[in-house]
Amino acid sequence: MSTVTTRPAPGTTAEPTTPPVPRRAFVEQVMGLPVSVHVRGAVDRPEVATAVGQVWGVLHRADAVFSTWRPDSDLMRLRRGDLSAAQVHPWLAEVEQLCVEAEQRTGGLFSASFDGAHHDPTGLVKGWAVERAALHLRHVPGISWCVNAGGDLLAGSGRETGPSTWNVGIEDPRNPGSVAATVALRAGGLATSGAAARGAHVVDPRTGAPVARAGSATVWGPTLLWADVWATALFVDPATGPATLVAADPAYRSLVL
């Protein structure tokens, strides 16, 4: 679990003569979780509200395509045989290809297939969908922003705007409510995988069994999509996963608790 704060990082002090940067937050329930968009800078521009509305639109559309809880989603209709592969949204093929790449990159620690009989491509959909949705925010001048999707975050800035720092607290999975570490995120994604909040929902693709252990794995780097994939991989195998990450994607950093 990750939380964002706008307070100064430990060891720093706020400059008292500097006027506060305008801020605004937007929240929507989508994909079965609360998603918030935090904006700094020219928050009253009409383009900001328009871009945030487009963010929600992309995420709701992704839910309509990929949800395993909605019987009318493209994925569930494909599973039932109500739609053919040629009839479903092209996002499904895109995500399937990313799942293949993710399995190769992680050495099988992340996979859409497990136990020889089950296939679920939705494990990377949240990070992928937030990345796609946030493209609308990148076109708005004069702002920096951070999208928080159930504790996984993507930070960036608009056109002709430098990024600002979002201090992200990483919760101690063995001591809920306490912060184990803080990451200063300026641009890119941060994701945490674990069982503290949702129980043993992460499946080890090598065995097909849920990972029922304490702890968590947090990964941050250039994109939320791959941070999310690697967080899952490192939670599945905290012993060999970090070395696999360093070898495959050295631009990413990790914290295994």
Side-chain angles (χ1 to χ4, degrees):
M1 181 68 178
S2 308
T3 57
V4 121
T5 177
T6 57
R7 292 175 296 178
T12 67
T13 57
E15 175 55 57
T17 61
T18 301
V21 177
R23 299 167 184 176
R24 189 175 177 185
F26 306 79
V27 182
E28 181 97 350
Q29 188 76 19
V30 56
M31 300 177 72
L33 50 90
V35 179
S36 57
V37 178
H38 303 263
V39 183
R40 294 173 179 163
V43 297
D44 293 327
R45 285 178 177 270
E47 303 101 301
V48 173
T50 298
V52 171
Q54 292 169 324
V55 168
W56 304 143
V58 171
L59 295 180
H60 281 295
R61 184 68 183 118
D63 192 44
V65 172
F66 293 102
S67 175
T68 57
W69 299 97
R70 295 177 50 168
D72 62 339
S73 72
D74 284 31
L75 177 61
M76 297 307 292
R77 294 174 69 192
L78 177 65
R79 286 181 175 179
R80 290 195 307 269
D82 296 343
L83 292 177
S84 68
Q87 293 173 309
V88 297
H89 198 289
W91 284 351
L92 274 166
E94 181 178 342
V95 165
E96 287 283 6
Q97 184 55 47
L98 285 168
C99 287
V100 172
E101 183 179 351
E103 184 168 0
Q104 294 170 345
R105 280 201 196 189
T106 63
L109 296 180
F110 180 100
S111 178
S113 301
F114 54 93
D115 200 23
H118 299 87
H119 182 78
D120 184 355
T122 62
L124 56 65
V125 164
K126 181 171 69 171
W128 169 88
V130 170
E131 290 270 1
R132 179 175 286 272
L135 292 174
H136 294 287
L137 297 168
R138 298 184 188 276
H139 297 297
V140 181
I143 65 168
S144 61
W145 46 266
C146 181
V147 182
N148 185 336
D152 294 341
L153 300 109
L154 178 66
S157 54
R159 205 162 29 89
E160 302 172 359
T161 312
S164 60
T165 300
W166 304 85
N167 297 311
V168 184
I170 310 301
E171 186 177 55
D172 185 341
R174 296 175 178 83
N175 188 14
S178 66
V179 175
T182 301
V183 174
L185 187 68
R186 288 177 58 80
L190 178 148
T192 298
S193 182
R198 295 174 54 195
H201 69 287
V202 178
V203 174
D204 186 336
R206 301 166 300 183
T207 65
V211 180
R213 69 172 184 83
S216 67
T218 298
V219 176
W220 60 97
T223 73
L224 177 57
L225 190 160
W226 291 108
D228 193 16
V229 166
W230 280 109
T232 301
L234 269 61
F235 183 66
V236 166
D237 191 340
T240 65
T244 306
L245 168 59
V246 170
D249 280 320
Y252 291 80
R253 298 291 180 267
S254 66
L255 174 66
V256 177
L257 297 172

